[in-house]
Amino acid sequence: MIDDWLEVVDAPSDRERAQLLNLQLASAATHPRLVDHDNEGWHLHYRDDGQSMPQVLRSVICTGTALHLTTRGMHRLHRCEASPCANVVVDVTRNGRQRYCCVRCANRAAVRRHRARA
């Protein structure tokens, strides 16, 4: 499931990213519906009842990714730019320019740029 999702992350264009995610959503999600169970209050489910945990995770991750990309922007999902890190960056910054997965990677990249100039 994660390998399939990483194909979405690594897609070379917005159109291909959308196509890959749509294929995964078609196999994972169902019509949204309101549910109230376990005294959690009313909320939306994008999956059928009685699914296995991997299928539930696929539904939640694909739906969450689709919501993030459509509300924040298709460019806000990518790999960390600090070599050799390959972590996924889910950009939630205000300006939409998050390049690194964490402060450590940002600092490491800054040190490399500084040393390259020296």
Side-chain angles (χ1 to χ4, degrees):
M1 189 266 122
I2 296 300
D3 290 340
D4 290 345
W5 182 75
L6 289 174
E7 289 181 22
V8 173
V9 173
D10 295 332
S13 69
D14 291 351
R15 184 165 303 283
E16 189 170 342
R17 174 173 282 160
Q19 288 172 342
L20 289 168
L21 188 54
N22 280 336
L23 287 172
Q24 292 182 30
L25 282 165
S27 70
T30 185
H31 63 280
R33 62 177 183 240
L34 288 169
V35 296
D36 182 21
H37 59 85
D38 302 326
N39 295 320
E40 291 181 6
W42 290 101
H43 57 280
L44 283 174
H45 273 198
Y46 293 90
R47 60 180 171 80
D48 291 323
D49 293 331
Q51 289 183 318
S52 66
M53 185 53 70
Q55 191 65 20
V56 170
L57 290 175
R58 180 181 293 276
S59 297
V60 170
I61 290 170
C62 288
T63 302
T65 300
L67 290 170
H68 177 77
L69 293 175
T70 56
T71 58
R72 296 283 188 146
M74 292 295 282
H75 66 285
R76 289 183 173 233
L77 182 67
H78 54 86
R79 297 286 184 149
C80 181
E81 291 183 19
S83 180
C85 183
N87 288 340
V88 174
V89 176
V90 179
D91 186 354
V92 295
T93 62
R94 183 178 295 187
N95 66 6
R97 294 186 181 147
Q98 185 174 347
R99 297 169 53 197
Y100 306 104
C101 66
C102 63
V103 173
R104 173 186 252 171
C105 281
N107 288 342
R108 187 174 27 218
V111 167
R112 284 186 180 145
R113 287 190 308 273
H114 174 75
R115 288 181 180 162
R117 286 190 302 265

